Amino acid sequence: MKISVLTVCWNSAATIEYTINSFFDQDHANKELVIVDGGSSDETLKIVHSYPQDHITWVSEPDNGMYHALNKGLRLYTGDAVGVLNSDDCFHDPSALRQIAMALEQADIVHGDLDFVEDHVTRKVVRRWRAEPRPAKGFRTGWMPAHPTFYVSRNVAERVGNFDLGLKVASDYDWMLRAVELHGFKCAITNDVLVDMMVGGASTRSLASYVGHNIEALQSRRRWLNSGAVDYALIAKPLRKLGQFFSWELGTS
């Protein structure tokens, strides 16, 4: 099974080398890295060009933000399955894509565990996201997968379609909701940490972005799940994440 990894970047020279190294370190040989660059003016493309190009597809041109770039990636990838690795994130260890491929042999969608880290040198963990099976009411309960660990078969990607450009910080949430809730696809989890995610992403870098993400997530549930003006998940979704900050394992790698 060929796994395609979409990486969106713009002036990401400070971190993208860690991202690409973690891709090439994967022991799953049948893989592809699709890099969609927004027209970087720093050393990003020089770094990309320094790697063997037989596993890399890349494009560099102005775009209208991360989700517009991801939609380009969905048109470019050639694998049997696809997921996203941000340009400041890394695969946790060399087995990540192999674990994903094995799970996708039995399911349409797979997701797994995620560690939030301060940086990719110390790998100091500040938060742990542990995957849980989809509950009976799914996204209505405040449950959601960790998007950087979320991989789907080509059939799923084609059925779900593009990321919604009307959502500024929660289009990944909306895309996963549509994949899991609307088409009856089989969803599996791994028992492994798949990705190390640097803190400070678009939906978590500030209180305003965090609130904005939850408001847009509610909009998505209202559109696709017929939720009310205020629903249970609006409260339950943040509460589900509280335990991620208080694990006794924090600080270990």
Side-chain angles (χ1 to χ4, degrees), residues 5-60:
V5 179
L6 308 184
T7 295
V8 169
C9 59
W10 181 74
N11 288 345
S12 301
T15 57
I16 197 168
E17 191 169 3
Y18 296 107
T19 306
I20 300 175
N21 282 342
S22 77
F23 169 81
F24 277 99
D25 285 345
Q26 293 301 297
D27 57 23
H28 183 76
N30 200 1
K31 61 194 175 188
E32 169 189 48
L33 181 62
V34 179
I35 296 176
V36 185
D37 178 74
S40 291
S41 58
D42 66 357
E43 298 293 304
T44 297
L45 291 180
K46 182 178 179 180
I47 293 170
V48 171
H49 295 158
S50 71
Y51 287 86
Q53 300 295 294
D54 52 337
H55 286 297
I56 296 179
T57 298
W58 64 272
V59 62
S60 179

Side-chain angles (χ1 to χ4, degrees), residues 204-248:
T204 60
R205 67 170 58 101
S206 68
L207 178 60
S209 62
Y210 181 78
V211 171
H213 182 276
N214 280 284
I215 290 174
E216 287 192 357
L218 174 61
Q219 292 173 0
S220 177
R221 293 191 299 274
R222 292 181 66 185
R223 178 179 182 184
W224 301 111
L225 304 180
N226 298 314
S227 295
V230 175
D231 67 354
Y232 174 79
L234 184 64
I235 305 301
K237 179 172 169 288
L239 289 178
R240 275 180 170 269
K241 296 180 180 179
L242 284 178
Q244 299 172 9
F245 294 92
F246 299 106
S247 169
W248 65 272

Side-chain angles (χ1 to χ4, degrees), residues 149-168:
T149 75
F150 192 81
Y151 281 72
V152 305
S153 69
R154 175 172 284 275
N155 180 44
V156 174
E158 291 176 349
R159 288 287 300 275
V160 176
N162 284 337
F163 288 84
D164 184 348
L165 300 186
L167 299 173
K168 303 305 180 185

Side-chain angles (χ1 to χ4, degrees), residues 30-162:
N30 200 1
K31 61 194 175 188
E32 169 189 48
L33 181 62
V34 179
I35 296 176
V36 185
D37 178 74
S40 291
S41 58
D42 66 357
E43 298 293 304
T44 297
L45 291 180
K46 182 178 179 180
I47 293 170
V48 171
H49 295 158
S50 71
Y51 287 86
Q53 300 295 294
D54 52 337
H55 286 297
I56 296 179
T57 298
W58 64 272
V59 62
S60 179
E61 60 189 16
D63 56 48
N64 295 321
M66 176 176 66
Y67 299 124
H68 181 227
L70 284 175
N71 286 340
K72 292 182 185 180
L74 288 176
R75 294 192 294 270
L76 290 170
Y77 85 95
T78 63
D80 304 299
V82 64
V84 176
L85 185 68
N86 297 320
S87 62
D88 54 357
D89 298 340
C90 295
F91 289 116
H92 181 73
D93 63 37
S95 71
L97 287 185
R98 172 164 47 87
Q99 298 295 334
I100 289 166
M102 289 172 57
L104 286 174
E105 294 291 345
Q106 306 297 326
D108 307 296
I109 298 169
V110 64
H111 60 99
D113 296 346
L114 173 78
D115 281 350
F116 289 84
V117 299
E118 285 190 354
D119 58 70
H120 296 302
V121 177
T122 67
R123 301 178 72 184
K124 181 180 178 181
V125 178
V126 296
R127 176 180 165 193
R128 295 189 186 277
W129 185 317
R130 294 300 174 257
E132 299 175 356
R134 178 189 178 276
K137 294 186 178 180
F139 278 72
R140 293 176 177 86
T141 69
W143 172 89
M144 62 176 289
H147 185 248
T149 75
F150 192 81
Y151 281 72
V152 305
S153 69
R154 175 172 284 275
N155 180 44
V156 174
E158 291 176 349
R159 288 287 300 275
V160 176
N162 284 337

